[in-house]
Amino acid sequence: MRYEGAVYRPPSEAGSLIIQLTIGCARNKCTFCAMFKDKQFRVRKLDEVVADLIDARQYYRDYKVRRIFLADGDALIVKTDDLLYILDKIHELYPECERISAYGAPADVNMKTDEELAKLKAAGLDMIYMGAESGDDIVLRDVKKGVTSEEIATAGLKLKKAGMIVSITLISGLGGKERLKEHTINSAKLISIIKPEYVGFLTLMVEPGTELYNDYQAGKFQLLGPVEVMQELKIFIENVDSEGTVFRANHASNYVPLKGTFNKDNKKMLEQIEKAEKAGVFRPEIYRGI
Ligand code: SF4
């Protein structure tokens, strides 16, 4: 197995075999993201990926590999035929594998036709993690996400049409104090349109080496405090309509761990937020992490 540089995966893929199909992120421009700043993007040669799959099979010969995550930043940029080839190899080498997943940038999803996505799903690509970050076009523009809210919605709906499980990440605080309300309401609208299976709400932490960190240091961007983050979460939950979506805001970056299912648990989660606000008990900064 050859891993190149730091390898990232969603928290729910902690038990998965991770295979790098690409190195880095093809865009690498988002002002808040430090994940792949040290990597020059490239799609790996297919024979290298297959060699990794064979090596890992030998290593895990007595172990059932039930989940495989295709890293790095955006596996869906890979040509559909090449992806289908790798998915076939996975099933050949890991017949016990129950779920294959990957990050999918909205622009890459939109580059694929409905037929291509359906073929990928039929070949075993079951789940896509899509970083929306915000549903507000001004926030998306400011953080250089490279897509509009409408394009993210289109991508999410295309994935759902193909039958894939969709998990979307939003970032609390990404609009700063200036666009708190718009960021939150428009993010709730975006989720209400897509109605994904999962939504994760992280809380922004600025990382050295990013453009946003420099803006923060220069006083051009203001981070939200825990009270404002609670305000965002409340507005988001009050405005979202996405029956059955599993919501998680229990990442290490969050001030108050929250989880529930929309819409049935909305009231309960709002009560939890109010309780934390009244008690003034939030995760201390030293225990927060990305
Ligand atoms: S947030 Fe996603 S698309 Fe943006 S730079 Fe990071 S990995 Fe790339």
Side-chain angles (χ1 to χ4, degrees), residues 12-276:
S12 50
E13 299 291 336
S16 306
L17 168 64
I18 299 181
I19 296 290
Q20 281 176 302
L21 188 53
T22 62
I23 302 296
C25 163
R27 288 160 192 86
N28 224 359
K29 289 202 170 74
C30 302
T31 62
F32 56 89
C33 176
M35 291 204 295
F36 302 115
K37 288 285 180 271
D38 59 337
K39 291 184 183 180
Q40 180 74 40
F41 176 78
R42 70 172 203 280
V43 176
R44 289 182 75 206
K45 289 186 181 139
L46 295 186
D47 54 0
E48 282 179 23
V49 179
V50 173
D52 277 0
L53 286 167
I54 292 168
D55 281 357
R57 177 73 286 176
Q58 278 163 5
Y59 188 79
Y60 293 115
R61 58 183 171 274
D62 299 324
Y63 184 83
K64 290 203 185 303
V65 176
R66 306 225 181 257
R67 291 184 177 190
I68 294 183
F69 179 74
L70 299 173
D72 275 338
D74 41 8
L76 281 184
I77 205 166
V78 175
K79 284 185 207 149
T80 301
D81 283 348
D82 292 349
L83 270 168
L84 291 169
Y85 172 75
I86 292 297
L87 293 167
D88 273 357
K89 281 283 167 199
I90 289 175
H91 288 302
E92 186 185 312
L93 290 160
Y94 300 87
E96 76 276 27
C97 182
E98 291 165 2
R99 188 174 94 183
I100 305 170
S101 57
Y103 286 126
D108 296 336
V109 175
N110 289 339
M111 292 281 285
K112 303 257 186 240
T113 63
D114 288 350
E115 293 70 31
E116 286 178 300
L117 291 170
K119 270 191 197 170
L120 290 169
K121 164 64 184 153
L125 184 58
D126 304 298
M127 179 167 185
I128 296 295
Y129 296 88
M130 195 163 69
E133 335 302 359
S134 177
D136 182 58
D137 282 338
I138 293 181
V139 173
L140 290 167
R141 180 202 65 196
D142 289 351
V143 302
K144 302 186 182 167
K145 186 70 191 169
V147 278
T148 62
S149 179
E150 193 180 340
E151 286 165 333
I152 298 171
T154 302
L157 292 173
K158 280 179 75 140
L159 292 171
K160 285 199 66 180
K161 190 174 173 192
M164 292 181 189
I165 300 167
V166 182
S167 178
I168 292 190
T169 306
L170 298 164
I171 304 179
S172 183
L174 200 59
K177 296 191 184 188
E178 281 176 22
R179 290 202 70 78
L180 184 153
K181 204 167 167 198
E182 294 85 350
H183 167 56
T184 317
I185 288 180
N186 290 329
S187 294
K189 278 187 192 160
L190 176 67
I191 297 305
S192 305
I193 293 170
I194 302 175
K195 303 192 193 304
E197 280 73 15
Y198 297 95
V199 169
F201 222 125
L202 311 180
T203 300
L204 180 67
M205 297 186 76
V206 284
E207 286 192 85
T210 62
E211 217 177 312
L212 198 61
Y213 180 83
N214 296 340
D215 285 349
Y216 170 66
Q217 292 289 326
K220 293 186 207 159
F221 180 83
Q222 288 182 299
L223 283 172
L224 302 188
V227 173
E228 289 149 326
V229 170
M230 292 304 106
Q231 198 185 334
E232 278 203 342
L233 273 170
K234 271 202 287 190
I235 298 173
F236 178 76
I237 295 172
E238 278 163 1
N239 284 277
V240 77
D241 176 10
S242 187
E243 191 70 47
T245 296
V246 174
F247 176 67
R248 294 277 182 269
N250 55 359
H251 184 261
S253 65
N254 296 114
Y255 285 108
V256 172
L258 275 186
K259 57 182 182 176
T261 301
F262 298 146
N263 297 331
K264 76 177 177 72
D265 295 331
N266 290 15
K267 190 166 172 275
K268 188 183 82 187
M269 290 193 282
L270 288 169
E271 284 166 1
Q272 271 178 270
I273 296 170
E274 274 162 27
K275 204 170 151 194

